[in-house]
Every structure is written in C-alpha cells, then in structure tokens.
Amino acid sequence: MRVDLSLPGRVEAVYADLGPAERHIADLLLQDPLGLATTTTTELAAGSGSSKATVSRFFRRLGFDSFAEARASVRDLRTSGVPIGSRSGRDGLWARHRAAEERNLRRTAEAVPEELLAAVGAVVADARDVLVLGFRNSYPVALHLREQLVQARPRVQLAPLPGQSLAEELAALGPGDVALTVGFRRRPAAFGEVVRACAGTGADVVLLADPGVRRLRLPVTHRLEVPVDGVGAFDSYAAAHTVVCLLAEAVLERRGAAGRERVLRLAARAEELGELEAR
C-alpha cells in the first residue's frame, strides 16, 4: 500500500456527495486529518454522532478498503518521520515528554553500551582524518558532533557545506580515515549510496541513526542506534545529542594528554581573540 499524503484532498473530492452523517465525519477529518493516526472507529463515530458502520462506509468512499487501512496509512507517515500531532491535547505534556525521553535513553543505553562507545571513540581518536556527514534533520546533529570532536582532535570536517561537492569530500577519504555518517529518519533517497561510497574508500564507517536504518543493510564498521520517538508531531533528538556528548567524551579520553592539551590551547586562543563571553 502506498502512503497517501492527501487525505484532505480525498475528503474534499467527495464532500458534495456526502450525506449529513458522513459530512460530520468529513468535517472532523478536515479539522485534524493527521489525528486519524491516534483515534479509533468508536471514537470517530462518537465524535461525529454517527455509527461505526457509517464510518467504515465513509472510508470506503475515500478509496480505502477499511478504516484500519486508512489509519495505517497515516501511522506509516509518523513512523517515517512525517510530523503528525496528537489529538490528546496539551495536558501533561511535560510528564509524557519526560517518560518518552526516559524510554529513548533506556533503549539507547541497551543498543549503545559503554564498550561500543569506547570502541568507536578509539576508532575516531586514532583516525588520520574524520569526515562527519549529515543531511536534512540529521545535519544539526552532525554539526554538533563535529563541533564537539574538533575540541579533542584536529582534522575533523563537516559535509556537505553550502556550495560543496560531496564527491570531492568522499574522494579524499581512504584507509585510516573515518566517515561518521548521521542518518535519522526522513533520510534522502541517496543516503544508502553515500554510505556505501564511504565504505568503498576503505575508510571506517560509523553510522549514527534510528533503528529503522537496519532495512538498508549498510556496510558499516560500527552502528549506533538511537530512537527519536517523540510524544507530539515532531521527532526528539535528545537521546541523539546525548550519544554525541558521550562519543566526544570517549574520543577525548582516548586522546589522553594530547586531547587535554588541545582543549586548553583552543580555550586560550578563543580568549585571545575575544570570541567568547568573559567568565
């Protein structure tokens, strides 16, 4: 089944031919089309003052085999990263958000144990050059990762930059280098090819992504799986940034005296240039 993004369009196309009861259902969907992901036939029937049979008949008129198929199509959008809000209101938002983040962190700790962090930290710390790649939603995480790593070691680059050719950056990779690829859901279609191209250079490839990336079966040296499930319309990257922090810490620890000296040297230069606020 192909995911359909135009539920309001489907409703509007048949709206003039609907009976009074079906129009009540249509009005509810037009007010909150993506809320279908979190409701049931019983709730929709009660909210529109109609029957479950009427609800089922309505969705068949929209071209779905059943209400369940229509709801599944909207849920598929959310799991792929499309922002879908909840109809449950804002009550208890902080409590629900905190619970979701605690679940994400527990799952992350299981998928990314300390031994794995230490192994990746060693690979990154000992590499000749490090290239951090991120696209779309992953770009801010990649940028933050680069900014943390450059505190501990030199020769850390970010791609793609504005006006930059990605092919030129990948051509510079080779054995002894590391490509840190950040690929959370709603990845560009070519993401898998980019990762495969990185692996083809002989560089070690570290993948930081959500568990859904498994279906791509990418040739990586290490994979750090981090859930980004949120309680509202948008994904949450709190756990992802936690992994960035811990990975940078592992790299700094591996670098030892050289890493600590670099941190102090960068701090002194920033103070000399007056780049940061006074302590």
Side-chain angles (χ1 to χ4, degrees), residues 160-266:
L161 295 175
Q164 182 184 58
S165 169
L166 190 57
E168 292 172 355
E169 293 299 322
L170 299 189
L173 284 175
D177 297 329
V178 171
L180 276 167
T181 54
V182 185
F184 290 101
R185 58 195 186 188
R186 306 214 79 193
R187 293 170 282 270
F191 179 76
E193 293 308 312
V194 172
V195 174
R196 293 184 183 95
C198 290
T201 68
D204 286 311
V205 179
V206 177
L207 175 62
L208 173 59
D210 63 279
V213 79
R214 296 177 193 171
R215 63 182 178 80
L216 297 181
R217 299 183 179 180
L218 299 174
V220 300
T221 310
H222 295 289
R223 185 173 63 215
L224 308 176
E225 290 188 1
V226 182
V228 291
D229 302 317
V231 297
F234 299 97
D235 288 342
S236 172
Y237 293 88
H241 283 285
T242 297
V243 170
V244 166
C245 174
L246 296 178
L247 178 56
E249 185 73 26
V251 172
L252 181 60
E253 183 175 347
R254 174 74 175 192
R255 293 276 294 170
R260 293 189 293 274
E261 289 171 5
R262 179 174 174 80
V263 169
L264 294 174
R265 187 165 61 252
L266 291 177

Side-chain angles (χ1 to χ4, degrees), residues 43-264:
E43 291 170 341
L44 188 54
S48 61
S50 59
S51 67
K52 293 171 65 174
T54 301
V55 170
S56 297
R57 184 170 61 251
F58 171 80
F59 281 101
R60 287 196 296 271
R61 296 193 66 164
L62 296 186
F64 296 103
D65 291 337
S66 64
F67 170 83
E69 182 188 28
R71 184 173 61 182
S73 72
V74 177
R75 286 180 172 175
D76 285 346
L77 296 181
R78 186 66 193 94
T79 57
S80 67
V82 176
I84 295 179
S86 169
R87 299 177 63 189
S88 59
R90 314 308 292 173
D91 293 342
L93 176 62
W94 275 110
R96 290 186 291 116
H97 177 74
R98 184 173 60 251
E101 294 302 347
E102 289 173 351
R103 286 194 299 272
N104 285 346
L105 286 172
R106 282 196 300 270
R107 291 170 59 193
T108 300
E110 294 171 357
V112 187
E114 293 183 19
E115 298 80 19
L116 177 56
L117 279 171
V120 175
V123 169
V124 175
D126 298 345
R128 179 184 61 182
D129 289 312
V130 177
L131 180 64
V132 185
L133 297 106
F135 307 89
R136 292 176 53 82
N137 295 349
S138 301
Y139 191 83
V141 181
L143 174 61
H144 183 55
L145 177 56
R146 188 266 172 185
E147 294 307 307
Q148 297 305 300
L149 292 179
V150 80
Q151 303 295 314
R153 56 152 297 151
R155 300 168 69 100
V156 182
Q157 301 300 321
L158 176 69
L161 295 175
Q164 182 184 58
S165 169
L166 190 57
E168 292 172 355
E169 293 299 322
L170 299 189
L173 284 175
D177 297 329
V178 171
L180 276 167
T181 54
V182 185
F184 290 101
R185 58 195 186 188
R186 306 214 79 193
R187 293 170 282 270
F191 179 76
E193 293 308 312
V194 172
V195 174
R196 293 184 183 95
C198 290
T201 68
D204 286 311
V205 179
V206 177
L207 175 62
L208 173 59
D210 63 279
V213 79
R214 296 177 193 171
R215 63 182 178 80
L216 297 181
R217 299 183 179 180
L218 299 174
V220 300
T221 310
H222 295 289
R223 185 173 63 215
L224 308 176
E225 290 188 1
V226 182
V228 291
D229 302 317
V231 297
F234 299 97
D235 288 342
S236 172
Y237 293 88
H241 283 285
T242 297
V243 170
V244 166
C245 174
L246 296 178
L247 178 56
E249 185 73 26
V251 172
L252 181 60
E253 183 175 347
R254 174 74 175 192
R255 293 276 294 170
R260 293 189 293 274
E261 289 171 5
R262 179 174 174 80
V263 169
L264 294 174

Side-chain angles (χ1 to χ4, degrees), residues 8-31 58 61-62:
R10 290 193 185 203
V11 174
E12 291 170 357
V14 301
Y15 192 86
D17 299 324
L18 298 176
E22 291 179 320
R23 285 196 178 187
H24 287 308
I25 301 172
D27 290 339
L28 284 178
L29 290 179
L30 290 175
Q31 291 172 15
F58 171 80
R61 296 193 66 164
L62 296 186

